[in-house]
Amino acid sequence: MSKILILVGQAGSGKDTAADYICKKYGYKHISTADILRDYIKKNMLGDLTRQNMHKVATKLRDEQGNDVLVRWALEGAGTQKILLSALRHPEEADYAIAKGGKVISTVASAESRYKRSLLRNRIGDKIDFDTFKQLEINENKNAHFDVSAIQDRADYTLHNNAGYKSFYNQIEFVMLSLAEDHNEMLK
């Protein structure tokens, strides 16, 4: 089984749900690059934790320290523990983790489902209208510093999250079984 898993998807697609399940059942440590960014913003008093401000701060960080900065920070000192990375937003972040042996798992769901989930999770900055939600997503997919869809295009596995928890968890189990089989084949 891969030491590094990379969960990527649009906002509200189920990354945290998948991460919680995988970490509890398979012993991975979850590190969200979005949480690293939120902590950085708080620590350095760089403003509110809205998606717009997070984009602004992430862009500045990437300009100053490279597009893979958040993943480099996430993996520093990881040692031999199994790591599950989530909330990657730039292809070079994925490149860095893939070069370390990471496998990419994409979570997908309809825009309407993701918007409703974003409202329910009640994070700072999530209380926006649907049109703003869609515009932010466009910005995350076609920007020099953000391109979630390009990372999703590289996925080794895709989880579809429109049919409820049971279906989603069954897909996760299939992926984890496939990863274990791939690992066993490599050891032969």
Side-chain angles (χ1 to χ4, degrees):
M1 186 145 334
S2 181
K3 181 185 158 222
I4 300 171
L5 297 181
I6 305 152
L7 273 174
V8 63
Q10 304 296 338
S13 63
K15 294 180 302 290
D16 288 338
T17 299
D20 289 345
Y21 183 88
I22 291 168
C23 290
K24 285 178 184 164
K25 186 156 183 186
Y26 294 96
Y28 280 79
K29 177 183 178 186
H30 181 207
I31 302 174
S32 167
T33 59
D35 289 344
I36 290 172
L37 183 59
R38 284 184 194 95
D39 291 344
Y40 179 83
I41 290 169
K42 285 187 230 174
K43 178 182 172 188
N44 293 285
M45 297 179 285
L46 297 173
D48 295 330
L49 298 177
T50 62
R51 284 176 69 183
Q52 294 92 335
N53 189 49
M54 289 176 68
H55 287 198
K56 180 180 142 191
V57 173
T59 297
K60 187 172 188 311
L61 267 173
R62 289 179 175 125
D63 282 342
E64 293 171 351
Q65 299 189 41
N67 290 321
D68 60 0
V69 61
L70 295 173
V71 170
R72 281 189 284 114
W73 289 355
L75 293 177
E76 283 177 2
T80 60
Q81 63 185 320
K82 297 185 293 186
I83 301 293
L84 186 146
L85 295 169
S86 69
L88 283 71
R89 293 288 182 251
H90 193 281
E92 287 181 34
E93 292 177 323
D95 291 343
Y96 186 86
I98 291 167
K100 301 276 184 192
K103 295 289 184 183
V104 180
I105 303 169
S106 174
T107 57
V108 296
S110 70
E112 292 80 10
S113 294
R114 292 184 292 98
Y115 176 68
K116 289 176 187 173
R117 289 181 193 132
S118 292
L119 292 176
L120 289 173
R121 69 182 176 193
N122 204 26
R123 285 186 185 153
I124 295 171
D126 276 351
K127 297 291 184 195
I128 55 178
D129 62 62
F130 187 58
D131 289 335
T132 303
F133 179 85
K134 290 190 300 186
Q135 186 58 49
L136 287 170
E137 186 170 289
I138 290 168
N139 294 343
E140 289 180 352
N141 288 308
K142 300 298 173 208
N143 179 309
H145 295 285
F146 302 90
D147 196 347
V148 175
S149 60
I151 303 170
Q152 287 182 291
D153 289 344
R154 297 171 157 161
D156 299 291
Y157 304 94
T158 300
L159 304 171
H160 298 274
N161 191 13
N162 284 316
Y165 286 113
K166 185 176 181 181
S167 171
F168 195 53
Y169 293 151
N170 285 339
Q171 291 174 69
I172 293 169
E173 285 299 323
F174 176 80
V175 167
M176 298 308 288
L177 179 62
S178 296
L179 286 167
E181 288 174 359
D182 289 347
H183 178 75
N184 291 337
E185 280 298 313
M186 286 180 10
L187 293 177
K188 288 182 179 178

